[in-house]
Amino acid sequence: MTDGSPSPDTTRERIIAAAEQLFRDIGFQKTTVADIARTLSMSPANVYRFFASKKDINEAVAERMTGRKRNRIEAVAKEPGTARERMRRLLTEMHVMMAEFADADAKIQEMVAVAIAESWSVIHNHIRDLDTIIANVVREGIAEGEFSDVDPEVAGPCVRAAMTRFCHPSVLVMCRDIPQPTLDEQIDFILAALGAGRQGAPRRAGETARAS
Amino acid sequence: MTDGSPSPDTTRERIIAAAEQLFRDIGFQKTTVADIARTLSMSPANVYRFFASKKDINEAVAERMTGRKRNRIEAVAKEPGTARERMRRLLTEMHVMMAEFADADAKIQEMVAVAIAESWSVIHNHIRDLDTIIANVVREGIAEGEFSDVDPEVAGPCVRAAMTRFCHPSVLVMCRDIPQPTLDEQIDFILAALGAGRQGAPRRAGETARAS
């Protein structure tokens, strides 16, 4: 593009960004395509050149949001350290991220509820991405001799499922007051399942620590 | 009691049983103390001799329901077999029981929602009971040399948390279509965390099984 006009990709991105901001500011249900167009000083017809429907815009916003989360988790997974350290950091980051979301205001919750209902494939792909990031750290841990020879493709979803209590936004809210292990105890338990040596397994506190 | 009249304990039990049946048949909100009394051909005043309020009846019904679940899980945990086998059976039973509940009709769901909201201590105690049953199997597995020397009091809640995906009724419904490990894969993962030897750990399916 040498004529100074924005490329179609840039316009598309601007529409998605404006839509996300409006969803956050005034709420998903209240935001119309006309609102999005107005924010960008363009006509609704121009928005419809890029997206067939508001549903398509929603899906793009959902992709943008899950993409940010995936990048954040992936960056943590790739920081220096042993596989054990990286697994602990990435699971902690997953928990922190989802706890932030669980505490977010109603407008954000509404946006994600719609994303889950309407853009199922985006959520589905996001979960698969998380499984892949976890499986890659498992694979690297096996290669480094830190983890036992488990199947990373099975272990990835098992690790994620074992974190449900700490990572599913609804569970975080519903089970706030239910007796639970600490996050570090749960991650130690998961590391033990990956065969990450006894120093990662729950430690025996001795007979005196037994509940009566 | 030699005069043929029911003992106070029996009358109390009959009130609780009648209340549970009415909650199931006509719903929790619609059931009044007068309905419960009528079912038992007694006066509401007589019901109030045993329970100060409908809330107290609800709590007794919640205790009765969770008690049945606890007994069922405990019976499975005490069946013959190795600790590994018993852990698998008890976790499978927990899943089956909660999946039955997740599929139950709206009246049952309403009753339990009220129990959670109004009889918090009953639910809290029930969860502690489940942790204790799990911890006992862990302790027996350690004594038998089947599990590694973990702290059973920490492992109990960790095992339960690792089963959230398969045992929390709301998660069972919300996450029905989300990619997940199989129940047996998750139990294998949990058994590996308990140090139950490699035959219980997720098996490596080989490089060809990798997702692309």
Side-chain angles (χ1 to χ4, degrees), chain B residues 161-183:
Chain B
M163 286 294 291
T164 305
R165 172 64 188 80
F166 294 92
C167 292
H168 191 297
S170 306
V171 176
L172 282 165
V173 173
M174 283 187 292
C175 298
R176 227 185 268 279
D177 300 320
I178 284 192
Q180 61 163 326
T182 66
L183 176 66

Side-chain angles (χ1 to χ4, degrees), chain A:
Chain A
M1 291 304 222
T2 53
D3 62 357
S5 66
S7 73
D9 277 1
T10 305
T11 305
R12 198 176 182 282
E13 285 305 312
R14 286 175 62 224
I15 294 169
I16 299 167
E20 182 180 344
Q21 195 58 51
L22 283 166
F23 293 170
R24 288 178 186 273
D25 290 345
I26 65 174
F28 169 81
Q29 300 290 356
K30 284 189 187 157
T31 300
T32 64
V33 172
D35 292 328
I36 298 167
R38 195 178 314 114
T39 305
L40 296 166
S41 305
M42 62 173 68
S43 65
N46 197 41
V47 172
Y48 283 117
R49 282 180 51 219
F50 294 92
F51 295 95
S53 64
K54 190 182 163 196
K55 182 173 180 302
D56 284 4
I57 301 178
N58 305 345
E59 190 149 310
V61 171
E63 259 169 18
R64 181 182 151 106
M65 290 179 66
T66 55
R68 276 201 303 265
K69 289 200 194 306
R70 186 192 55 234
N71 293 345
R72 195 167 140 186
I73 296 286
E74 197 153 36
V76 169
K78 288 188 171 161
E79 282 172 8
T82 63
R84 165 201 291 273
E85 288 163 355
R86 290 182 297 125
M87 183 65 79
R88 182 180 302 278
R89 282 199 300 258
L90 99 79
L91 297 181
T92 303
E93 184 66 22
M94 266 175 58
H95 165 67
V96 169
M97 216 165 61
M98 298 318 290
E100 279 172 12
F101 166 66
D103 288 334
D105 69 29
K107 292 198 182 70
I108 310 284
Q109 309 261 9
E110 182 202 5
M111 179 165 54
V112 175
V114 172
I116 289 173
E118 290 200 353
S119 308
W120 181 243
S121 64
V122 175
I123 305 298
H124 197 284
N125 291 340
H126 178 56
I127 287 167
R128 287 288 189 206
D129 285 347
L130 294 181
D131 285 352
T132 300
I133 295 170
I134 297 171
N136 285 340
V137 176
V138 172
R139 195 172 287 114
E140 289 154 12
I142 295 168
E144 295 295 325
E146 287 186 63
F147 296 156
S148 53
D149 190 31
V150 300
D151 180 347
E153 303 304 329
V154 174
C158 287
V159 169
R160 177 172 50 77
M163 287 293 291
T164 304
R165 173 64 188 80
F166 295 92
C167 292
H168 191 296
S170 306
V171 176
L172 282 166
V173 172
M174 283 187 292
C175 299
R176 225 185 270 279
D177 299 319
I178 283 191
Q180 61 165 324
T182 67
L183 176 65
D184 273 335
E185 283 170 347
Q186 191 69 9
I187 294 176
D188 285 342
F189 185 81
I190 288 168
L191 287 168
L194 297 172
R198 292 293 299 122
Q199 62 273 47
R203 280 180 299 277
R204 188 175 177 80
E207 298 303 288
T208 53
R210 278 190 191 177
S212 59

Side-chain angles (χ1 to χ4, degrees), chain B residues 81-125:
Chain B
T82 63
R84 164 201 291 275
E85 288 163 353
R86 289 182 298 125
M87 183 66 79
R88 182 180 302 279
R89 283 199 299 257
L90 99 80
L91 297 181
T92 303
E93 184 67 21
M94 266 175 57
H95 165 67
V96 168
M97 217 164 60
M98 298 318 290
E100 278 172 12
F101 167 66
D103 288 335
D105 69 30
K107 291 197 184 73
I108 310 283
Q109 308 262 8
E110 182 202 6
M111 179 165 56
V112 177
V114 172
I116 290 174
E118 290 200 352
S119 307
W120 181 243
S121 64
V122 175
I123 304 299
H124 196 283
N125 292 340

